[in-house]
Amino acid sequence: MAAGAAAPGLFFTFAAMVLLIFASVSAPTWNSISFLNADSIHFGVFGYTGSSTNVGYYFPGNLGDSRINGTLFHNFTEVLILVPIAAGLSGIALLFGLCGFAYHRAGTVFMTLVSALAFLTTLVVWVIEMVLFGVARSHMRSRGIDANWGNANWLVLGALVSLFFAFFASACGIFGSYRRRTY
Ligand SMILES: *[C@@H]1O[C@H](CO)[C@@H](O)[C@H](O)[C@H]1NC(C)=O
């Protein structure tokens, strides 16, 4: 083992990547993962139960109203693309971390930088999706529709916490001992 110092950061970036991948394949691809459930329609990153897979969507039928079908909230549904982007950044941080683990301190330095970027991306998308689906939920409920939070909100929140730890763990890992492998 070249550098155990990189290991904790690796663990947390890996966990964040897995959580963000699960959130990315939400409805309509995988119906049991969603941000909001209303009248058996599940809303995910790229659409909702029965819709095609798109970046950005409108709330269908009587679930939408002029406010949540308006430009602002439609733009928010497009911003959900940041979930798979954050998953990709976590994956890149993981690859740098593996280099740090196996070869060189520089890998851990890049893991720290990229996990910070992944953290900020996840923070932005988590705040926006909570606003988007929170407002949509209360608008639906005020019209008597049974709308409930889905599990993907907590997957993204878990990834956010994990990336927070990943950043500090890899930043500390930079100062661990890195010995070159001798054969
Ligand atoms: C919102 O948009 C969807 C899709 O275009 C449409 O089915 C729905 O009727 C719209 N709702 C309102 C209130 O405009």
Side-chain angles (χ1 to χ4, degrees):
M1 186 188 297
L10 276 180
F11 171 77
F12 286 114
T13 47
F14 179 75
M17 182 186 73
V18 170
L19 290 171
L20 289 167
I21 288 174
F22 274 95
S24 302
V25 295
S26 48
T29 310
W30 189 357
N31 210 30
S32 38
I33 299 182
S34 61
F35 293 92
L36 183 73
N37 306 322
D39 283 353
S40 77
I41 307 251
H42 295 195
F43 292 92
V45 168
F46 294 114
Y48 48 86
T49 310
S51 79
S52 57
T53 308
N54 293 309
V55 177
Y57 53 83
Y58 293 95
F59 291 87
N62 71 331
L63 296 179
D65 59 22
S66 56
R67 179 96 175 103
I68 61 176
N69 258 7
T71 314
L72 176 68
F73 285 92
H74 179 66
N75 289 342
F76 283 173
T77 64
E78 291 178 346
V79 172
L80 295 175
I81 186 85
L82 290 179
V83 175
I85 288 175
L89 288 171
S90 307
I92 292 168
L94 182 68
L95 291 180
F96 280 128
L98 286 172
C99 296
F101 187 73
Y103 305 113
H104 198 271
R105 190 185 306 274
T108 313
V109 173
F110 281 109
M111 172 166 67
T112 308
L113 296 176
V114 179
S115 64
L117 198 57
F119 172 80
L120 293 175
T121 308
T122 308
L123 179 64
V124 167
V125 73
W126 189 71
V127 168
I128 287 179
E129 64 92 349
M130 289 302 282
V131 171
L132 163 66
F133 292 110
V135 171
R137 177 177 171 275
S138 67
H139 278 227
M140 289 174 194
R141 289 176 89 96
S142 71
R143 285 180 291 117
I145 297 161
D146 184 28
N148 297 296
W149 291 109
N151 47 14
N153 304 291
W154 323 127
L155 295 178
V156 176
L157 181 62
L160 185 65
V161 172
S162 196
L163 286 168
F164 180 82
F165 287 121
F167 172 74
F168 285 103
S170 30
C172 295
I174 294 173
F175 303 103
S177 88
Y178 287 75
R179 259 172 296 156
R180 289 195 181 281
R181 268 193 286 202
T182 50
Y183 294 97

